[in-house]
Amino acid sequence: MNICVFLSAADLDDRYTGPARRFAELLGKGGHTLVWGGSDVGLMKVVADGVQAAGGRLVGVSVDFLAARARTDADEMVIARDLAERKALLLEKADAVVVMVGGTGTLDEATEILELKKHGRTDKPVVLLNTAGFYDGLKEQFRRMEAEGFLPRPLIDLVFFAEEPVGALAYLEENAGTR
């Protein structure tokens, strides 16, 4: 399976890098391909290193203004013109999506795939990996959106919240191609 992971390129502490390494190892050992933003820095590097070390493939989609940070030993690397093209290419190459910890770019990518799902433009499974409770507030906001009628589809049809890497990958393996 080609699994797109949206995540930060920042250098983060072990409460985030540890679970990211565990997820990367599971992904690689499972024979899956990482589709990611292509950066060879921060948490993006941690995950790419882990997938590659465990035997998985790397498919990166960087963007023109970040090309200098692109990983040079990826199995495939595409350089997009802008962020919109990058998001489109990442989603095009993916069978499923995992949202890991990140900043505004990660949040933008996450809401893009959820909006596409909401409107029936994709049926790819999406997991929000809530490492160290990072997305507790967002999870609460999504539940409020659902309760107050802002979501035309049940929240569970849009995104699965996983607290641990093993649960995230298990959900994807059970749901890819079935939704």
Side-chain angles (χ1 to χ4, degrees):
M1 181 173 13
N2 292 338
I3 300 174
C4 177
V5 178
F6 295 134
L7 71 165
S8 178
D11 289 318
L12 302 169
D13 65 44
D14 192 56
R15 74 186 147 145
Y16 299 121
T17 58
R21 267 190 213 93
R22 285 193 295 281
F23 181 76
E25 183 180 353
L26 291 169
L27 197 152
K29 284 184 176 178
H32 302 294
T33 296
L34 172 67
V35 179
W36 94 117
S39 289
D40 202 28
V41 296
L43 197 60
M44 284 194 189
K45 178 179 177 22
V46 169
V47 171
D49 287 350
V51 169
Q52 198 171 50
R57 290 187 72 246
L58 301 179
V59 174
V61 181
S62 189
V63 65
D64 189 50
F65 66 89
L66 295 175
R69 294 182 175 183
R71 189 175 185 105
T72 57
D73 66 345
D75 296 288
E76 178 184 338
M77 182 63 67
V78 177
I79 307 296
R81 291 183 313 272
D82 55 34
L83 292 171
E85 181 184 38
R86 181 192 204 186
K87 280 190 296 189
L89 288 168
L90 284 165
L91 293 175
E92 178 184 307
K93 293 177 177 295
D95 301 313
V97 174
V98 174
V99 180
M100 296 178 104
V101 297
T104 55
T106 302
L107 193 56
D108 173 58
E109 293 160 340
T111 55
E112 172 102 7
I113 185 69
L114 295 178
E115 191 67 9
L116 290 169
K117 282 194 79 166
K118 182 180 92 174
H119 291 290
R121 306 303 294 172
T122 186
D123 62 354
K124 296 174 186 184
V126 177
V127 172
L128 198 145
L129 184 51
N130 191 26
T131 302
F134 185 80
Y135 285 119
D136 285 349
L138 184 59
K139 187 175 178 180
E140 182 179 330
Q141 185 61 45
F142 281 143
R143 287 183 175 155
R144 181 175 181 183
M145 288 175 187
E146 180 179 41
E148 295 187 18
F150 289 95
L151 301 179
R153 296 177 63 183
L155 186 57
I156 191 65
D157 287 353
L158 298 177
V159 62
F160 176 79
F161 292 93
E163 302 300 320
E164 295 293 330
V166 69
L169 189 58
Y171 177 83
L172 295 180
E173 290 177 340
E174 290 170 13
N175 290 279
T178 65
R179 299 186 71 94

